[in-house]
Structure formats: structure tokens, C-alpha cells
Amino acid sequence: MMLAIPDVLSAEQVRQCREALERATWHDGRHTAGHMAIHVKANLQLAQDDPLATQLGEFILERLSATPRFLAAALPLKVLPPRFNCYTGGGAYGNHTDNAIFTLPGTSLRIRSDLSATLFFCDPDAYDGGELVIEDTYGSQRVKLPAGHMALYPSTSLHQVTPVTRGARLAAFFWIQSLVREDHQRAMLLELDDAIQSLATDVPENPALARLTGVYHNLLRHWADT
């Protein structure tokens, strides 16, 4: 399930983040690539210990905790601190699958990557190329979202970023370990949650609401991996 989550950041928050990133010190992104990905990765990244990366990452985590759509779709258990990249001058990232396990920086804690996320800081007309192309069971999905919007998709997906031939594509990217490991189960829970929310708006006194809510929580209880 690929999901676009709108308005994680406001226009003013995007502007502030982008201005800070435009003044940042960038490094060759291949330094963080695995032995396979290094051959297809050509971008720039902030160092993980850069104070700006820490500051912006903490801010994004705060915003995610206040974004109901993200919470409903991801059912997050652990979120790896966001990282930041820049694609420009033909920069691209060929087809790859994200690592299955990440270590939380500065700790021995490990995070299983169930979901990958890309938060865009630049509007689509600010650069040419730079599409996030995700392969799923229904074929390729090409994603290029407005600034402040976020793409959320299974980390098991084969995906790439196409070459940026004009301008610069700035984004945050990170991984989530969900309470529910399987993508199809998360998708069913989200669909059920959406139906409950719609019913609660249209007919709030309907007695079926309590029963459906019970089904949702019982499924979550059955599938949750804590």
C-alpha cells in the first residue's frame, strides 16, 4: 500500500526547513550506501550527527505525532530519526530495496523497517525529474508530491529516484517499525478505520459503530507485534 499523506508540514514550516537545508553542508550519499546500493546511488546527504539533522529530525517526529493520517496508516511502534538528502545535477538512486534492520544511532536498539517514508520540501515544479518510483503488485507508481506532503510505502518495495535534471529535490526520509508487520493487515485496518470515521460523521448514533470499533481493536490486538 502506497499512501500520500498531505500537509505533514505547513507552508511556513516547509519554507523554514528548506532555507536551513539550502545552507547545510552536504556529503556524498554513497558513504551510507550498502555494498549493492553504492553502485546505483548518486545523491547528497546530511551527516547523521549534523546538529541541523538532529534539530530538523526532532521537529519532524513532533509533527508526525500530531498527524492523525500517519498514525492511522503506519501504526508506528518505533520511528528511526529522519535523515535528509538532496538530488541535483543529474543525481539519482537506482532500483533498490531498503535494509531490513537499522540500528538507532548511539544505541544498541534495532528497528525493523516495515514502512519507508519520504517527506518532500520542494514543490514538483521546482525541479525536473526526481520522481520516486515504487514497484508494487499493481505495477509502478510514480510519486512526486507537493512540499510538506509525505509518501508512505512498504519497505519491501523495489523503488528508485529518477535523475534530477533541473533544480534540486530536498527531502527527509526515514523508516518505521509498525505495530502490525504485514502490509495487507495494515491496509485492512486503515480501510476499517476510515469506514468507522465516516460512519461516525454521518450517523453518530448508529449502534453498529461500537461493534465495528470493537472489531478494529480486536484485529489490532490479534495482529499487533509489540
Side-chain angles (χ1 to χ4, degrees):
M1 175 180 65
M2 200 295 293
L3 191 66
I5 300 179
D7 302 320
V8 175
L9 301 180
S10 68
E12 177 59 20
Q13 289 167 339
V14 166
R15 184 189 65 78
Q16 293 175 1
C17 291
R18 188 170 59 237
E19 288 181 355
L21 290 170
E22 287 171 348
R23 299 190 300 268
T25 300
W26 296 93
H27 303 273
D28 189 335
R30 288 176 295 181
H31 293 161
T32 63
H35 70 283
M36 294 295 293
I38 195 171
H39 301 293
V40 296
K41 186 176 185 180
N43 67 2
L44 301 172
Q45 287 185 206
L46 286 190
Q48 292 183 44
D49 60 355
D50 189 312
L52 178 60
T54 301
Q55 177 188 351
L56 293 182
E58 290 176 350
F59 172 68
I60 290 170
L61 291 177
E62 290 178 3
R63 291 299 308 142
L64 291 174
S65 68
T67 304
R69 191 62 174 166
F70 167 75
L71 298 175
L75 297 170
L77 176 63
K78 302 174 186 176
V79 182
L80 199 72
R83 304 177 186 184
F84 301 86
N85 58 23
C86 173
Y87 291 84
T88 190
Y93 199 163
N95 269 333
H96 65 284
T97 301
D98 292 334
N99 291 345
I101 304 294
F102 291 89
T103 300
L104 189 66
T107 76
S108 60
L109 297 176
R110 294 181 177 180
I111 293 178
R112 185 186 66 237
S113 60
D114 296 322
L115 290 158
S116 301
T118 299
L119 175 60
F120 293 82
F121 292 117
C122 301
D123 282 318
D125 60 1
Y127 57 97
D128 291 338
E131 293 178 308
L132 174 63
V133 183
I134 303 165
E135 304 286 343
D136 65 15
T137 54
Y138 301 102
S140 296
Q141 299 193 59
R142 305 180 73 89
V143 183
K144 191 173 181 180
L145 300 179
H149 294 216
M150 186 173 75
L152 188 68
Y153 55 98
S155 298
T156 53
S157 303
L158 189 68
H159 56 281
Q160 64 173 298
V161 177
T162 63
V164 173
T165 57
R166 177 186 65 86
R169 175 194 190 268
L170 297 169
F173 63 102
F174 52 96
W175 296 273
I176 302 103
Q177 180 173 333
S178 177
L179 286 165
V180 176
R181 181 192 298 249
E182 298 295 335
D183 179 60
H184 71 278
Q185 293 172 343
R186 291 193 303 270
M188 284 190 284
L189 285 169
L190 181 60
E191 185 174 4
L192 180 56
D193 187 34
D194 285 345
I196 291 169
Q197 299 301 325
S198 178
L199 187 60
T201 298
D202 295 340
V203 281
E205 303 302 321
N206 193 315
L209 272 170
R211 295 172 62 189
L212 288 173
T213 302
V215 170
Y216 175 90
H217 285 286
N218 285 331
L219 285 173
L220 180 58
R221 183 177 292 111
H222 181 66
W223 288 333
D225 175 16
T226 60

